[in-house]
Amino acid sequence: MNVSWRKPLRRIGWGLLLVLLDVRIAGIDWLPDFVGYMMAASGSLRLGSEFPAMRRAGRLAWGLAAVSLPAVLMPYTMNPTEGISQLPLPVQLYGQLMLALHAVLIMLLCTGLREAASKAKARDIQHQAGGRRTFYALLAFVLLVFYPFQFNLEELQWWVWYGGGVLLLGIAELLALRLPFRLARVRRHRVDKEATRRRQPYDHHS
């Protein structure tokens, strides 16, 4: 077993968790997304030589790191009573573009994790990666399609439906982000077992 998987997998998980968290004070994002994307890109590309989906995910993550730079100072915070439709159109389009690209990144990573789990013979993680990829993709697609209907709904109705969708998407992403940490633990335990087996013949001889 290749122990070199452990750090890249954890880096992917922590990086995307950093992207998921949003701490804004005085209009500034103190947990900038580009740092998380850079971590995810670094971890993905380390695994890219073995898994093509990881290589594509790493390249996309680097692109997202660059594209997300303006979000550090972009005014996403707003008064809900004013309505999201009051945000400038470029800000809204930027947000939807980031959501679409981020969704593609999560799907690529789930595909790569599925391939890695197959190689590690972690069948449960392999199946879960496929299922969580489908669930996340479906939710992201529904949110992207539903977004323009804000102009035809009452503001409160739109907030309830879209807010519920965003909450579900966040839960789906957290479930997906568990996978690299779990796979890293599987690799560690199996490496430890193999190391123990290799030492046993020497112990008997001694």
Side-chain angles (χ1 to χ4, degrees), residues 103-165:
V104 173
L105 175 63
I106 295 297
M107 288 185 285
L108 284 173
L109 286 172
C110 284
T111 301
L113 290 169
R114 192 168 184 266
E115 295 170 351
S118 175
K119 187 171 182 178
K121 296 181 173 56
R123 302 302 180 195
D124 55 338
I125 298 177
Q126 180 183 355
H127 294 313
Q128 288 171 5
R132 292 176 188 184
R133 176 187 59 191
T134 302
F135 181 51
Y136 187 91
L138 178 62
L139 285 175
F141 176 77
V142 170
L143 280 176
L144 287 167
V145 170
F146 182 73
Y147 187 86
F149 288 93
Q150 63 171 303
F151 301 107
N152 299 319
L153 294 175
E154 294 291 334
E155 202 68 48
L156 180 59
Q157 288 180 314
W158 187 89
W159 273 110
V160 169
W161 285 101
Y162 192 78

Side-chain angles (χ1 to χ4, degrees), residues 2-23:
N2 187 357
V3 73
S4 64
W5 282 17
R6 288 169 52 191
K7 287 184 179 179
L9 286 169
R10 290 175 178 173
R11 196 175 302 153
I12 291 169
W14 285 117
L16 290 178
L17 184 60
L18 185 61
V19 172
L20 189 61
L21 298 176
D22 190 18
V23 178

